[in-house]
């Protein structure tokens, strides 16, 4: 099995911790674990983790605070695990920087498949200051990969986004959703289709898409609009098609 790097399991329930450790070890990761939140932050930092599974209900500090601290120094993939099904937990997880959210009890194969799908996506975060300089696009002006619309530029190769020349910091999921809508050129993309964009090839065409999956897309779109500075009354880029999904706003 190919070594995929380091995974850290932050979980206070010993049985669940042992299960997740086994799943990730069998997938090809070097696995480390922690039973508390503060310890988990230290382990993620020390081991330079590629993937983190993070329980929400930890005994010292909750998983959301752990995630906030991890995001200060790491762009590791983070999957939040919780026995609670409160929609607020899902919203908080994605707002804080989680890549995925899985309710307990979960199927080991599902966890492994979701982690595998994430690992096949680019790990580069979209950070401010990464927009290519003025000389970069000139080299291949006739074959530019950049997608442009109403002052927004998205470069799939460098995974950078700017609005009116100002860099915008997006998560992987937000970038992938924006790219899918830009490529759609105004075609309506259903929430079901966009779930598959976010999840990658984990979801086959005939896979069941839950309401929770679609709700996660809504959260990502909301975050995307906020970061782009979108006017909800007169959207510049993302239009909601009520009861269906989203599409690109008309060219101005």
């Amino acid at each position: 099995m190919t070594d995929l790097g380091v995974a850290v399991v932050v979980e206070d329930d010993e049985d669940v911790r042992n299960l997740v450790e086994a799943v990730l070890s069998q997938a090809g990761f070097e696995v480390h674990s922690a039973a508390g939140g503060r310890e988990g932050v230290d382990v993620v930092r020390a081991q330079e983790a590629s993937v983190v599974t993070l329980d929400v209900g930890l005994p010292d500090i909750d998983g959301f605070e752990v995630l906030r601290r991890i995001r200060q120094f790491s762009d590791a993939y983070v999957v939040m695990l919780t026995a609670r099904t409160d929609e607020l937990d899902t919203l908080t997880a994605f707002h804080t920087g989680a890549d995925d959210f899985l309710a307990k009890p979960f199927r080991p194969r599902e966890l492994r498949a979701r982690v595998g799908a994430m690992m096949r996506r680019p790990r580069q975060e979209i950070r401010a200051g990464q927009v290519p300089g003025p000389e970069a696009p000139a080299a291949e002006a006739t074959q530019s990969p950049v997608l442009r619309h109403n002052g927004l530029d998205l470069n799939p190769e460098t995974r950078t986004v700017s609005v009116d020349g100002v860099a915008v910091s997006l998560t992987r999921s937000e970038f992938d959703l924006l790219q899918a809508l830009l490529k759609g050129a105004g075609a309506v993309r259903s929430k079901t289709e966009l779930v598959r964009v976010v999840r990658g090839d984990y979801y086959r065409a005939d896979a069941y898409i839950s309401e929770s999956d679609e709700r996660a897309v809504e959260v990502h779109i909301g975050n995307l609009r906020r970061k782009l500075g979108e006017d909800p009354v007169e959207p510049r880029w993302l239009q909601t098609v009520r009861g269906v999904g989203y599409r690109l706003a008309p060219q101005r």
Side-chain angles (χ1 to χ4, degrees):
M1 182 81 60
T2 302
D3 184 3
L4 298 177
V6 175
V8 173
V9 180
V10 186
E11 172 64 61
D12 65 323
D13 186 307
E14 184 176 3
D15 290 336
V16 176
R17 187 168 65 247
N18 290 340
L19 172 62
V20 177
E21 287 176 352
V23 169
L24 296 177
S25 179
Q26 291 169 9
F29 290 95
E30 175 189 331
V31 182
H32 299 264
S33 63
R38 292 185 178 87
E39 179 189 4
V41 174
D42 291 340
V43 174
V44 171
R45 188 194 305 271
Q47 299 300 330
E48 298 182 353
S50 301
V51 170
V52 179
T53 65
L54 180 56
D55 183 29
V56 172
L58 294 167
D60 48 357
I61 55 176
D62 69 29
F64 302 124
E65 177 59 26
V66 174
L67 178 56
R68 291 187 189 97
R69 297 185 186 187
I70 289 174
R71 281 292 175 248
Q72 292 176 5
F73 63 85
S74 173
D75 65 351
Y77 294 101
V78 177
V79 181
M80 302 290 285
L81 304 176
T82 181
R84 301 181 298 197
T85 57
D86 190 340
E87 183 177 314
L88 180 60
D89 281 353
T90 306
L91 294 173
T92 303
F94 287 126
H95 278 304
T96 310
D99 294 285
D100 209 342
F101 189 91
L102 198 56
K104 302 176 185 175
F106 56 86
R107 294 171 297 173
R109 289 180 61 185
E110 181 176 12
L111 174 61
R112 179 168 176 171
R114 289 198 181 194
V115 170
M118 288 191 300
M119 293 298 291
R120 287 187 285 273
R121 295 163 61 191
R123 297 192 68 240
Q124 179 183 0
E125 283 288 349
I126 316 306
R127 301 189 187 280
Q130 289 185 324
V131 177
E135 296 182 1
E140 295 187 23
T142 59
Q143 301 181 26
S144 173
V146 177
L147 301 173
R148 295 186 170 91
H149 189 74
N150 291 343
L152 183 149
D153 290 357
L154 180 148
N155 190 322
E157 294 185 355
T158 60
R159 290 184 67 84
T160 53
V161 173
S162 66
V163 173
D164 298 329
V166 179
V168 179
S169 176
L170 303 181
T171 66
R172 287 175 290 272
S173 296
E174 292 160 3
F175 183 94
D176 291 344
L177 287 171
L178 180 58
Q179 182 178 4
L181 291 169
L182 286 169
K183 285 184 174 180
V188 178
R189 302 296 299 272
S190 70
K191 293 178 185 177
T192 297
E193 290 178 290
L194 294 176
V195 167
R196 295 191 173 97
V197 169
V198 173
R199 299 298 191 200
D201 56 6
Y202 165 65
Y203 279 94
R204 303 186 310 274
D206 60 346
Y208 171 71
I209 304 296
S210 69
E211 291 185 8
S212 177
D213 289 326
E214 293 187 352
R215 180 56 180 154
V217 166
E218 294 175 6
V219 174
H220 288 311
I221 292 291
N223 289 340
L224 186 53
R225 283 173 163 158
R226 174 175 53 81
K227 291 181 179 181
L228 294 176
E230 181 79 287
D231 182 348
V233 178
E234 296 184 9
R236 188 173 171 184
W237 302 287
L238 309 176
Q239 282 190 335
T240 299
V241 181
R242 189 174 299 276
V244 181
Y246 306 93
R247 68 183 173 196
L248 199 63
Q251 186 75 43
R252 293 183 180 180

